[in-house]
Amino acid sequence: QVWLVESGGGLVQAGGSLRLSCAASGFTSRISVVGWFRQAPGKEREFVAAIDPNGGNIRYADSVKGRFTISGDDAKNTVYLQMNSLKPEDTAVYYCAARDPRTVAMPTAPFEYNYWGRGTQVTVSS
């Protein structure tokens, strides 16, 4: 079992920055990929970014490329999402997810992840 806890959300003006954290506990050595997803009201949960903590592979959604950066700190079992140049359309609940079955391609669909945090709200005002 793996537990994930997100933090760092909040209210920020457009153009501002936030850094989200995802702290993992439990059988963290089994984790093959950690991803960030977001869900706005009335919309489906969508992929934001993912990182392979062991191999270093990273993938981003096109909508956040160049603005968001995902990184990991193995010593702290924590994955970060640095979000810069935030836009009102980035407003959503942000979820951290983890997968333990190994995969060749970086997974981007929610069903490909088997552990989820409860989410943290990010609100970007115009």
Side-chain angles (χ1 to χ4, degrees):
Q1 181 67 33
V2 172
W3 291 270
L4 304 171
V5 178
E6 304 94 336
S7 61
L11 173 64
V12 64
Q13 288 187 335
S17 298
L18 282 174
R19 189 178 79 158
L20 304 183
S21 299
C22 172
S25 60
F27 292 102
T28 57
S29 61
R30 297 181 178 179
I31 294 174
S32 64
V33 180
V34 177
W36 285 96
F37 289 77
R38 66 187 181 186
Q39 189 166 18
K43 294 188 177 181
E44 293 186 352
R45 192 166 297 189
E46 66 172 355
F47 171 77
V48 175
I51 185 169
D52 173 353
N54 301 306
N57 291 336
I58 289 175
R59 184 169 182 176
Y60 295 101
D62 289 343
S63 59
V64 306
K65 279 182 183 176
R67 300 189 299 123
F68 291 10
T69 302
I70 189 170
S71 62
D73 185 333
D74 289 344
K76 296 182 178 179
N77 288 328
T78 299
V79 170
Y80 304 99
L81 185 68
Q82 177 68 43
M83 305 186 295
N84 299 328
S85 302
L86 283 162
K87 304 175 182 179
E89 51 264 44
D90 294 318
T91 295
V93 177
Y94 282 70
Y95 297 91
C96 177
R99 170 188 172 96
D100 53 23
R102 293 216 168 265
T103 178
V104 175
M106 294 291 278
T108 61
F111 76 86
E112 296 180 284
Y113 291 79
N114 47 335
Y115 302 107
W116 289 86
R118 292 188 174 185
T120 185
Q121 176 71 46
V122 171
T123 303
V124 184
S125 63
S126 58

